[in-house]
């Protein structure tokens, strides 16, 4: 699935965390420095006749999308995505998600300036996998996801990575809008709020961008299937939440957890084969072991999207919407959660 796994808020300045290990601080500093060193201005690349024509066209489209984000969506007007970095590998960053065996609550990782976040970013995949193995040895559920884009929240001029050009222009637009939304507004210690807000901006922004261009989405069936896939996983998460909150003994919870995850895999296969003509686009997600951590991002990236959609419908354009979001973000956590829960009921 491209959606949740790629649209993550990556953590820059990770080296500022005094409670992290020296090795983690070093890989973070080195990783960010290496990525920034690869970046070069986009406009000269587009104009250079030596640039691959296909790459030049994608960069031109990305520049147009960024200008649209500023003019139409009231997103930050700065030098973000005015440079391009060709990566040596598939991703610039890998995020590690960790939960308890019988909980969907994320293990939080805390940093100065950014607050506590529901995942931990690594610029080195091997380090991410080793950290996952260490948590797994302690009895935790873990999941490592490659991230093609991340936001430094304006601390740096984030470049456009080659990993962001692997998919269609439609998805590139959604990704850029999502990451720029993180720059527009960010709340400390509330990953679900931040990611749901950015997810809504990305999806709604993409819809309006397509309308402005007078064309339909390039893969409407695929988008509809992605929505069905997400709903399927969210339903399983809801079952697991109820299970973990029950009074059953842990042994029974482990048994029922396995049954729910087995049923999720079976329900997906039925949906794929009966309604999607065997479309295998999500098979890779089910190829790995299913656990709480693997389901965790769905709750973070999708939890409050309907609430933000309702808020947007009542707003007078994007600037007003962002101001309303900021007002929600200024509330105390419990009041913010309550207000989000009421957005579609007013």
């Amino acid at each position: 699935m491209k959606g949740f796994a790629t649209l993550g808020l990556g953590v820059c300045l990770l080296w500022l965390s005094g409670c992290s290990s020296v090795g983690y601080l070093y890989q973070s500093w080195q990783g960010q420095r290496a990525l920034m060193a690869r970046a070069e201005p986009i406009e000269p690349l587009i104009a250079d006749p030596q640039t691959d024509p296909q790459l030049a066209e994608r960069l031109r489209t990305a520049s147009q999308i960024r200008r649209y984000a500023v003019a139409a969506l009231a997103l930050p007007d700065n030098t973000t995505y005015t440079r391009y970095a060709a990566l040596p590998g598939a991703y610039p960053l890998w995020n590690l998600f960790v939960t308890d065996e019988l909980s969907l609550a994320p293990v939080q990782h805390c940093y100065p300036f950014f607050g506590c976040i529901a995942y931990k970013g690594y610029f080195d995949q091997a380090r991410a996998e080793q950290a996952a193995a260490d948590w797994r040895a302690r009895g935790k559920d873990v999941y490592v996801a490659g991230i093609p884009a991340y936001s430094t929240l304006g601390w740096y001029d984030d470049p456009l990575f080659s990993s962001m050009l692997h998919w269609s222009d439609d998805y590139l637009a959604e990704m850029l809008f999502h990451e720029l939304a993180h720059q527009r507004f960010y709340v400390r210690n509330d990953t679900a709020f931040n990611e749901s807000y950015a997810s809504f901006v990305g999806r709604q922004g993409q819809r309006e961008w397509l309308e402005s261009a007078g064309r339909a989405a390039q893969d409407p069936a695929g988008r509809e299937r992605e929505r069905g896939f997400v709903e399927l996983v969210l339903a399983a998460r809801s079952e697991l939440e109820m299970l973990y909150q029950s009074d059953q003994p842990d042994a029974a919870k482990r048994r029922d957890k396995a049954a729910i995850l087995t049923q999720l895999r079976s329900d997906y296969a039925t949906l794929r084969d009966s309604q999607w003509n065997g479309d295998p686009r999500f098979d890779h997600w089910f190829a790995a072991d299913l656990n709480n951590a693997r389901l965790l991002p769905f709750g973070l990236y999708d939890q409050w999207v309907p609430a933000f959609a309702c808020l947007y419908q009542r707003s007078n354009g994007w600037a007003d919407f962002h101001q309303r979001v900021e007002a929600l973000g200024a509330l105390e956590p419990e009041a913010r959660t309550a207000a989000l829960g009421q957005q579609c009921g007013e």
Side-chain angles (χ1 to χ4, degrees):
M1 175 189 180
K2 293 187 297 242
F4 80 84
T6 64
L7 296 177
L9 166 63
V11 181
C12 175
L13 299 182
L14 298 174
W15 52 90
L16 292 176
S17 177
C19 61
S20 297
S21 68
V22 173
Y24 180 71
L25 302 180
Y26 183 74
Q27 71 88 31
S28 300
W29 174 69
Q30 286 284 68
Q32 183 65 33
R33 183 180 141 194
L35 291 178
M36 298 302 292
R38 288 181 172 276
E40 52 185 319
I42 283 178
E43 291 306 319
L45 273 175
I46 294 174
D48 188 346
Q50 300 300 316
T51 300
D52 177 84
Q54 184 176 8
L55 173 61
E57 183 59 31
R58 297 305 305 281
L59 294 177
R60 188 175 294 108
T61 299
S63 295
Q64 293 168 350
I65 292 170
R66 188 184 67 83
R67 289 192 291 270
Y68 179 87
V70 174
L73 308 184
L75 292 173
D77 184 7
N78 53 35
T79 53
T80 298
Y81 302 133
T82 61
R83 297 187 302 157
Y84 172 73
L87 302 177
Y91 301 108
L93 191 76
W94 286 262
N95 278 350
L96 170 63
F97 299 86
V98 183
T99 70
D100 287 337
E101 179 191 12
L102 298 175
S103 173
L104 285 164
V107 170
Q108 299 282 343
H109 308 277
C110 301
Y111 313 94
F113 307 115
F114 294 99
C116 296
I117 302 173
Y119 43 78
K120 191 170 186 176
Y122 291 83
F123 291 98
D124 185 302
Q125 183 180 10
R127 287 182 178 273
E129 297 291 354
Q130 182 58 58
D134 293 342
W135 282 106
R136 191 180 295 110
R138 294 161 61 180
K140 305 293 187 181
D141 282 6
V142 299
Y143 171 47
V144 175
I147 307 298
Y150 66 92
S151 172
T152 61
L153 305 184
W155 286 86
Y156 286 91
D157 298 330
D158 299 330
L160 187 76
F161 295 122
S162 54
S163 54
M164 301 167 71
L165 303 181
H166 291 167
W167 296 289
S168 68
D169 291 345
D170 290 7
Y171 190 69
L172 175 62
E174 181 180 347
M175 195 185 314
L176 293 184
F177 300 152
H178 179 111
E179 299 303 340
L180 286 170
H182 283 312
Q183 281 194 24
R184 179 66 175 75
F185 188 63
Y186 175 84
V187 178
R188 285 171 55 90
N189 305 323
D190 198 336
T191 303
F193 180 94
N194 294 323
E195 294 297 354
S196 295
Y197 162 61
S199 292
F200 171 74
V201 173
R203 296 168 193 174
Q204 181 64 27
Q206 185 211 58
R207 284 190 286 269
E208 295 183 12
W209 174 70
L210 289 170
E211 290 174 3
S212 73
R215 68 175 181 84
Q218 293 174 338
D219 184 18
R223 191 61 195 228
E224 191 61 32
R225 289 169 185 176
E226 181 175 354
R227 186 177 298 110
F229 167 62
V230 170
E231 290 174 354
L232 197 68
V233 177
L234 288 175
R237 285 187 88 260
S238 295
E239 288 189 69
L240 289 170
E241 286 277 17
M242 293 178 60
L243 171 66
Y244 299 148
Q245 293 171 9
S246 72
D247 295 328
Q248 294 189 59
D250 287 353
K253 289 181 179 180
R254 292 189 184 97
R255 180 198 64 218
D256 290 350
K257 171 188 176 182
I260 290 170
L261 294 176
T262 297
Q263 187 63 48
L264 171 60
R265 197 183 298 274
S266 175
D267 290 344
Y268 164 70
T270 299
L271 183 63
R272 177 198 61 200
D273 297 338
S274 65
Q275 298 184 34
W276 296 351
N277 299 317
D279 184 347
R281 71 181 65 205
F282 303 116
D283 284 5
H284 70 282
W285 191 83
F286 285 95
D289 290 338
L290 299 184
N291 60 31
N292 295 327
R294 197 162 182 81
L295 274 60
L296 175 60
F298 290 85
L300 299 175
Y301 288 75
D302 296 281
Q303 180 177 355
W304 298 119
V305 169
F308 286 116
C310 291
L311 181 64
Y312 180 73
Q313 291 171 4
R314 298 197 307 276
S315 300
N316 184 24
W318 280 99
D320 181 49
F321 168 73
H322 294 308
Q323 290 175 359
R324 290 170 182 254
V325 171
E326 290 173 8
L328 285 173
L331 298 174
E332 292 298 318
E334 289 187 6
R336 184 188 311 135
T337 298
L340 285 167
Q342 296 168 0
Q343 289 304 312
C344 295
E346 295 179 358

mmCIF file of all heavy atoms in Angstrom, residues 145-180:
data_model
loop_
_atom_site.group_PDB
_atom_site.id
_atom_site.type_symbol
_atom_site.label_atom_id
_atom_site.label_comp_id
_atom_site.label_asym_id
_atom_site.label_seq_id
_atom_site.Cartn_x
_atom_site.Cartn_y
_atom_site.Cartn_z
ATOM 1 N N ALA A 145 8.817 0.410 8.129
ATOM 2 C CA ALA A 145 8.260 0.846 6.847
ATOM 3 C C ALA A 145 9.207 1.820 6.160
ATOM 4 O O ALA A 145 9.671 2.784 6.782
ATOM 5 C CB ALA A 145 6.902 1.523 7.060
ATOM 6 N N GLY A 146 9.500 1.575 4.891
ATOM 7 C CA GLY A 146 10.271 2.513 4.101
ATOM 8 C C GLY A 146 9.428 3.748 3.785
ATOM 9 O O GLY A 146 8.258 3.626 3.423
ATOM 10 N N ILE A 147 10.026 4.935 3.922
ATOM 11 C CA ILE A 147 9.306 6.205 3.770
ATOM 12 C C ILE A 147 9.935 7.013 2.639
ATOM 13 O O ILE A 147 11.097 7.421 2.748
ATOM 14 C CB ILE A 147 9.371 7.026 5.077
ATOM 15 C CG1 ILE A 147 8.889 6.196 6.267
ATOM 16 C CG2 ILE A 147 8.577 8.304 4.939
ATOM 17 C CD1 ILE A 147 7.467 5.744 6.185
ATOM 18 N N PRO A 148 9.208 7.257 1.555
ATOM 19 C CA PRO A 148 9.808 7.992 0.446
ATOM 20 C C PRO A 148 9.849 9.504 0.635
ATOM 21 O O PRO A 148 10.529 10.202 -0.101
ATOM 22 C CB PRO A 148 8.915 7.629 -0.739
ATOM 23 C CG PRO A 148 7.593 7.374 -0.125
ATOM 24 C CD PRO A 148 7.866 6.754 1.208
ATOM 25 N N ALA A 149 9.108 10.042 1.607
ATOM 26 C CA ALA A 149 9.081 11.486 1.828
ATOM 27 C C ALA A 149 8.903 11.764 3.312
ATOM 28 O O ALA A 149 8.223 11.019 4.011
ATOM 29 C CB ALA A 149 7.943 12.122 1.036
ATOM 30 N N TYR A 150 9.518 12.837 3.777
ATOM 31 C CA TYR A 150 9.319 13.252 5.158
ATOM 32 C C TYR A 150 9.481 14.759 5.259
ATOM 33 O O TYR A 150 10.059 15.401 4.372
ATOM 34 C CB TYR A 150 10.274 12.537 6.123
ATOM 35 C CG TYR A 150 11.735 12.881 5.947
ATOM 36 C CD1 TYR A 150 12.321 13.913 6.678
ATOM 37 C CD2 TYR A 150 12.537 12.163 5.071
ATOM 38 C CE1 TYR A 150 13.663 14.217 6.537
ATOM 39 C CE2 TYR A 150 13.880 12.454 4.925
ATOM 40 C CZ TYR A 150 14.446 13.495 5.657
ATOM 41 O OH TYR A 150 15.779 13.796 5.505
ATOM 42 N N SER A 151 8.953 15.321 6.316
ATOM 43 C CA SER A 151 9.007 16.765 6.518
ATOM 44 C C SER A 151 9.911 17.093 7.695
ATOM 45 O O SER A 151 9.858 16.427 8.736
ATOM 46 C CB SER A 151 7.606 17.322 6.784
ATOM 47 O OG SER A 151 7.667 18.682 7.153
ATOM 48 N N THR A 152 10.724 18.128 7.539
ATOM 49 C CA THR A 152 11.522 18.623 8.658
ATOM 50 C C THR A 152 10.837 19.804 9.330
ATOM 51 O O THR A 152 11.455 20.535 10.095
ATOM 52 C CB THR A 152 12.932 19.045 8.187
ATOM 53 O OG1 THR A 152 12.819 20.095 7.219
ATOM 54 C CG2 THR A 152 13.685 17.870 7.579
ATOM 55 N N LEU A 153 9.562 20.011 9.018
ATOM 56 C CA LEU A 153 8.742 21.055 9.641
ATOM 57 C C LEU A 153 9.316 22.446 9.422
ATOM 58 O O LEU A 153 9.123 23.348 10.250
ATOM 59 C CB LEU A 153 8.572 20.778 11.145
ATOM 60 C CG LEU A 153 8.001 19.415 11.529
ATOM 61 C CD1 LEU A 153 7.812 19.322 13.034
ATOM 62 C CD2 LEU A 153 6.698 19.136 10.806
ATOM 63 N N GLY A 154 10.052 22.631 8.324
ATOM 64 C CA GLY A 154 10.596 23.939 8.008
ATOM 65 C C GLY A 154 11.988 24.182 8.532
ATOM 66 O O GLY A 154 12.574 25.238 8.275
ATOM 67 N N TRP A 155 12.561 23.225 9.259
ATOM 68 C CA TRP A 155 13.923 23.396 9.760
ATOM 69 C C TRP A 155 14.931 23.381 8.608
ATOM 70 O O TRP A 155 15.978 24.013 8.685
ATOM 71 C CB TRP A 155 14.258 22.297 10.760
ATOM 72 C CG TRP A 155 13.586 22.461 12.086
ATOM 73 C CD1 TRP A 155 12.336 22.033 12.438
ATOM 74 C CD2 TRP A 155 14.104 23.115 13.236
ATOM 75 N NE1 TRP A 155 12.063 22.373 13.737
ATOM 76 C CE2 TRP A 155 13.133 23.032 14.255
ATOM 77 C CE3 TRP A 155 15.319 23.762 13.515
ATOM 78 C CZ2 TRP A 155 13.329 23.581 15.525
ATOM 79 C CZ3 TRP A 155 15.510 24.301 14.781
ATOM 80 C CH2 TRP A 155 14.520 24.212 15.769
ATOM 81 N N TYR A 156 14.623 22.631 7.569
ATOM 82 C CA TYR A 156 15.479 22.579 6.391
ATOM 83 C C TYR A 156 14.620 22.783 5.141
ATOM 84 O O TYR A 156 13.400 22.644 5.185
ATOM 85 C CB TYR A 156 16.193 21.224 6.290
ATOM 86 C CG TYR A 156 17.312 21.051 7.283
ATOM 87 C CD1 TYR A 156 17.076 20.486 8.534
ATOM 88 C CD2 TYR A 156 18.606 21.448 6.970
ATOM 89 C CE1 TYR A 156 18.100 20.329 9.449
ATOM 90 C CE2 TYR A 156 19.644 21.286 7.885
ATOM 91 C CZ TYR A 156 19.383 20.736 9.125
ATOM 92 O OH TYR A 156 20.399 20.581 10.029
ATOM 93 N N ASP A 157 15.286 23.106 4.037
ATOM 94 C CA ASP A 157 14.601 23.183 2.747
ATOM 95 C C ASP A 157 14.500 21.770 2.188
ATOM 96 O O ASP A 157 15.398 21.308 1.479
ATOM 97 C CB ASP A 157 15.376 24.088 1.785
ATOM 98 C CG ASP A 157 15.483 25.516 2.293
ATOM 99 O OD1 ASP A 157 14.567 25.948 3.001
ATOM 100 O OD2 ASP A 157 16.482 26.190 1.984
ATOM 101 N N ASP A 158 13.429 21.081 2.520
ATOM 102 C CA ASP A 158 13.292 19.683 2.134
ATOM 103 C C ASP A 158 13.382 19.530 0.620
ATOM 104 O O ASP A 158 12.657 20.195 -0.125
ATOM 105 C CB ASP A 158 11.958 19.122 2.619
ATOM 106 C CG ASP A 158 11.831 19.161 4.130
ATOM 107 O OD1 ASP A 158 12.865 19.062 4.807
ATOM 108 O OD2 ASP A 158 10.698 19.296 4.621
ATOM 109 N N PRO A 159 14.241 18.638 0.139
ATOM 110 C CA PRO A 159 14.318 18.410 -1.307
ATOM 111 C C PRO A 159 13.276 17.405 -1.783
ATOM 112 O O PRO A 159 12.693 16.660 -0.987
ATOM 113 C CB PRO A 159 15.734 17.850 -1.487
ATOM 114 C CG PRO A 159 15.991 17.114 -0.207
ATOM 115 C CD PRO A 159 15.278 17.893 0.872
ATOM 116 N N LEU A 160 13.057 17.401 -3.058
ATOM 117 C CA LEU A 160 12.243 16.375 -3.706
ATOM 118 C C LEU A 160 13.148 15.168 -3.901
ATOM 119 O O LEU A 160 14.191 15.264 -4.549
ATOM 120 C CB LEU A 160 11.732 16.887 -5.042
ATOM 121 C CG LEU A 160 10.723 16.028 -5.788
ATOM 122 C CD1 LEU A 160 9.357 16.168 -5.147
ATOM 123 C CD2 LEU A 160 10.666 16.440 -7.251
ATOM 124 N N PHE A 161 12.788 14.033 -3.317
ATOM 125 C CA PHE A 161 13.603 12.826 -3.435
ATOM 126 C C PHE A 161 13.193 12.003 -4.650
ATOM 127 O O PHE A 161 12.016 12.002 -5.048
ATOM 128 C CB PHE A 161 13.464 11.957 -2.181
ATOM 129 C CG PHE A 161 14.004 12.587 -0.931
ATOM 130 C CD1 PHE A 161 13.184 12.778 0.174
ATOM 131 C CD2 PHE A 161 15.327 12.988 -0.851
ATOM 132 C CE1 PHE A 161 13.671 13.356 1.326
ATOM 133 C CE2 PHE A 161 15.826 13.566 0.305
ATOM 134 C CZ PHE A 161 14.997 13.760 1.398
ATOM 135 N N SER A 162 14.138 11.277 -5.204
ATOM 136 C CA SER A 162 13.817 10.379 -6.321
ATOM 137 C C SER A 162 12.784 9.347 -5.906
ATOM 138 O O SER A 162 11.987 8.889 -6.739
ATOM 139 C CB SER A 162 15.094 9.692 -6.825
ATOM 140 O OG SER A 162 15.784 9.034 -5.764
ATOM 141 N N SER A 163 12.739 8.997 -4.619
ATOM 142 C CA SER A 163 11.753 8.034 -4.117
ATOM 143 C C SER A 163 10.331 8.556 -4.240
ATOM 144 O O SER A 163 9.374 7.771 -4.218
ATOM 145 C CB SER A 163 12.047 7.712 -2.650
ATOM 146 O OG SER A 163 12.124 8.905 -1.880
ATOM 147 N N MET A 164 10.169 9.871 -4.384
ATOM 148 C CA MET A 164 8.841 10.457 -4.490
ATOM 149 C C MET A 164 8.313 10.427 -5.923
ATOM 150 O O MET A 164 7.158 10.773 -6.167
ATOM 151 C CB MET A 164 8.874 11.900 -3.976
ATOM 152 C CG MET A 164 9.321 12.012 -2.523
ATOM 153 S SD MET A 164 9.726 13.703 -2.014
ATOM 154 C CE MET A 164 8.109 14.452 -1.973
ATOM 155 N N LEU A 165 9.149 10.004 -6.865
ATOM 156 C CA LEU A 165 8.763 10.008 -8.271
ATOM 157 C C LEU A 165 8.470 8.609 -8.796
ATOM 158 O O LEU A 165 8.344 8.421 -10.007
ATOM 159 C CB LEU A 165 9.875 10.653 -9.112
ATOM 160 C CG LEU A 165 10.276 12.075 -8.720
ATOM 161 C CD1 LEU A 165 11.372 12.594 -9.642
ATOM 162 C CD2 LEU A 165 9.073 13.017 -8.735
ATOM 163 N N HIS A 166 8.340 7.645 -7.891
ATOM 164 C CA HIS A 166 8.120 6.262 -8.320
ATOM 165 C C HIS A 166 6.690 6.008 -8.773
ATOM 166 O O HIS A 166 6.411 4.997 -9.399
ATOM 167 C CB HIS A 166 8.471 5.291 -7.187
ATOM 168 C CG HIS A 166 9.938 5.240 -6.887
ATOM 169 N ND1 HIS A 166 10.456 4.641 -5.752
ATOM 170 C CD2 HIS A 166 11.001 5.721 -7.571
ATOM 171 C CE1 HIS A 166 11.768 4.756 -5.760
ATOM 172 N NE2 HIS A 166 12.119 5.408 -6.847
ATOM 173 N N TRP A 167 5.766 6.905 -8.400
ATOM 174 C CA TRP A 167 4.366 6.679 -8.706
ATOM 175 C C TRP A 167 3.816 7.781 -9.600
ATOM 176 O O TRP A 167 4.576 8.608 -10.120
ATOM 177 C CB TRP A 167 3.578 6.570 -7.399
ATOM 178 C CG TRP A 167 3.993 5.385 -6.590
ATOM 179 C CD1 TRP A 167 3.754 4.068 -6.869
ATOM 180 C CD2 TRP A 167 4.758 5.389 -5.378
ATOM 181 N NE1 TRP A 167 4.314 3.261 -5.898
ATOM 182 C CE2 TRP A 167 4.930 4.035 -4.979
ATOM 183 C CE3 TRP A 167 5.302 6.386 -4.585
ATOM 184 C CZ2 TRP A 167 5.617 3.669 -3.826
ATOM 185 C CZ3 TRP A 167 5.992 6.029 -3.439
ATOM 186 C CH2 TRP A 167 6.141 4.678 -3.081
ATOM 187 N N SER A 168 2.534 7.831 -9.759
ATOM 188 C CA SER A 168 1.891 8.735 -10.705
ATOM 189 C C SER A 168 1.963 10.185 -10.237
ATOM 190 O O SER A 168 2.245 10.487 -9.065
ATOM 191 C CB SER A 168 0.426 8.338 -10.875
ATOM 192 O OG SER A 168 -0.292 8.596 -9.668
ATOM 193 N N ASP A 169 1.648 11.101 -11.165
ATOM 194 C CA ASP A 169 1.556 12.513 -10.812
ATOM 195 C C ASP A 169 0.474 12.745 -9.763
ATOM 196 O O ASP A 169 0.624 13.604 -8.886
ATOM 197 C CB ASP A 169 1.241 13.350 -12.054
ATOM 198 C CG ASP A 169 2.397 13.407 -13.044
ATOM 199 O OD1 ASP A 169 3.525 13.049 -12.661
ATOM 200 O OD2 ASP A 169 2.162 13.805 -14.200
ATOM 201 N N ASP A 170 -0.610 11.996 -9.846
ATOM 202 C CA ASP A 170 -1.694 12.136 -8.864
ATOM 203 C C ASP A 170 -1.175 11.872 -7.452
ATOM 204 O O ASP A 170 -1.446 12.633 -6.516
ATOM 205 C CB ASP A 170 -2.825 11.154 -9.170
ATOM 206 C CG ASP A 170 -3.587 11.510 -10.437
ATOM 207 O OD1 ASP A 170 -3.155 12.430 -11.147
ATOM 208 O OD2 ASP A 170 -4.602 10.837 -10.718
ATOM 209 N N TYR A 171 -0.434 10.788 -7.324
ATOM 210 C CA TYR A 171 0.061 10.442 -5.996
ATOM 211 C C TYR A 171 1.161 11.402 -5.548
ATOM 212 O O TYR A 171 1.272 11.722 -4.360
ATOM 213 C CB TYR A 171 0.573 9.002 -5.993
ATOM 214 C CG TYR A 171 0.877 8.525 -4.599
ATOM 215 C CD1 TYR A 171 -0.144 8.314 -3.686
ATOM 216 C CD2 TYR A 171 2.192 8.325 -4.185
ATOM 217 C CE1 TYR A 171 0.126 7.916 -2.395
ATOM 218 C CE2 TYR A 171 2.471 7.919 -2.895
ATOM 219 C CZ TYR A 171 1.442 7.717 -2.003
ATOM 220 O OH TYR A 171 1.716 7.338 -0.729
ATOM 221 N N LEU A 172 1.951 11.887 -6.488
ATOM 222 C CA LEU A 172 2.973 12.878 -6.157
ATOM 223 C C LEU A 172 2.321 14.130 -5.585
ATOM 224 O O LEU A 172 2.796 14.690 -4.590
ATOM 225 C CB LEU A 172 3.791 13.222 -7.403
ATOM 226 C CG LEU A 172 4.826 14.334 -7.244
ATOM 227 C CD1 LEU A 172 5.881 13.957 -6.211
ATOM 228 C CD2 LEU A 172 5.487 14.643 -8.591
ATOM 229 N N ALA A 173 1.222 14.574 -6.188
ATOM 230 C CA ALA A 173 0.516 15.746 -5.680
ATOM 231 C C ALA A 173 0.023 15.507 -4.259
ATOM 232 O O ALA A 173 0.204 16.361 -3.370
ATOM 233 C CB ALA A 173 -0.661 16.084 -6.602
ATOM 234 N N GLU A 174 -0.577 14.369 -4.022
ATOM 235 C CA GLU A 174 -1.067 14.065 -2.672
ATOM 236 C C GLU A 174 0.068 14.066 -1.665
ATOM 237 O O GLU A 174 -0.064 14.588 -0.545
ATOM 238 C CB GLU A 174 -1.774 12.709 -2.668
ATOM 239 C CG GLU A 174 -2.332 12.318 -1.318
ATOM 240 C CD GLU A 174 -3.031 10.973 -1.328
ATOM 241 O OE1 GLU A 174 -3.299 10.438 -2.429
ATOM 242 O OE2 GLU A 174 -3.310 10.453 -0.234
ATOM 243 N N MET A 175 1.195 13.504 -2.056
ATOM 244 C CA MET A 175 2.337 13.428 -1.163
ATOM 245 C C MET A 175 2.892 14.810 -0.830
ATOM 246 O O MET A 175 3.179 15.130 0.334
ATOM 247 C CB MET A 175 3.436 12.570 -1.808
ATOM 248 C CG MET A 175 4.530 12.125 -0.851
ATOM 249 S SD MET A 175 5.865 11.227 -1.695
ATOM 250 C CE MET A 175 4.957 10.094 -2.726
ATOM 251 N N LEU A 176 3.042 15.663 -1.846
ATOM 252 C CA LEU A 176 3.569 17.004 -1.609
ATOM 253 C C LEU A 176 2.625 17.814 -0.731
ATOM 254 O O LEU A 176 3.066 18.522 0.197
ATOM 255 C CB LEU A 176 3.804 17.723 -2.940
ATOM 256 C CG LEU A 176 4.903 17.157 -3.843
ATOM 257 C CD1 LEU A 176 5.069 18.036 -5.078
ATOM 258 C CD2 LEU A 176 6.226 17.045 -3.104
ATOM 259 N N PHE A 177 1.328 17.732 -0.998
ATOM 260 C CA PHE A 177 0.365 18.461 -0.177
ATOM 261 C C PHE A 177 0.418 17.968 1.273
ATOM 262 O O PHE A 177 0.327 18.763 2.208
ATOM 263 C CB PHE A 177 -1.050 18.297 -0.737
ATOM 264 C CG PHE A 177 -1.225 18.808 -2.144
ATOM 265 C CD1 PHE A 177 -2.195 18.251 -2.984
ATOM 266 C CD2 PHE A 177 -0.440 19.833 -2.640
ATOM 267 C CE1 PHE A 177 -2.368 18.719 -4.269
ATOM 268 C CE2 PHE A 177 -0.607 20.304 -3.939
ATOM 269 C CZ PHE A 177 -1.576 19.745 -4.754
ATOM 270 N N HIS A 178 0.537 16.671 1.447
ATOM 271 C CA HIS A 178 0.603 16.075 2.781
ATOM 272 C C HIS A 178 1.812 16.619 3.554
ATOM 273 O O HIS A 178 1.682 17.071 4.704
ATOM 274 C CB HIS A 178 0.704 14.554 2.647
ATOM 275 C CG HIS A 178 0.797 13.818 3.944
ATOM 276 N ND1 HIS A 178 -0.208 13.005 4.425
ATOM 277 C CD2 HIS A 178 1.795 13.728 4.866
ATOM 278 C CE1 HIS A 178 0.153 12.483 5.577
ATOM 279 N NE2 HIS A 178 1.378 12.913 5.873
ATOM 280 N N GLU A 179 2.968 16.568 2.931
ATOM 281 C CA GLU A 179 4.183 16.982 3.632
ATOM 282 C C GLU A 179 4.201 18.486 3.887
ATOM 283 O O GLU A 179 4.665 18.947 4.938
ATOM 284 C CB GLU A 179 5.419 16.560 2.833
ATOM 285 C CG GLU A 179 5.559 15.059 2.628
ATOM 286 C CD GLU A 179 5.585 14.250 3.920
ATOM 287 O OE1 GLU A 179 5.866 14.825 4.995
ATOM 288 O OE2 GLU A 179 5.317 13.041 3.859
ATOM 289 N N LEU A 180 3.695 19.285 2.949
ATOM 290 C CA LEU A 180 3.624 20.727 3.167
ATOM 291 C C LEU A 180 2.638 21.073 4.285
ATOM 292 O O LEU A 180 2.814 22.066 4.992
ATOM 293 C CB LEU A 180 3.237 21.432 1.872
ATOM 294 C CG LEU A 180 4.343 21.504 0.813
ATOM 295 C CD1 LEU A 180 3.778 21.988 -0.514
ATOM 296 C CD2 LEU A 180 5.482 22.401 1.269
#
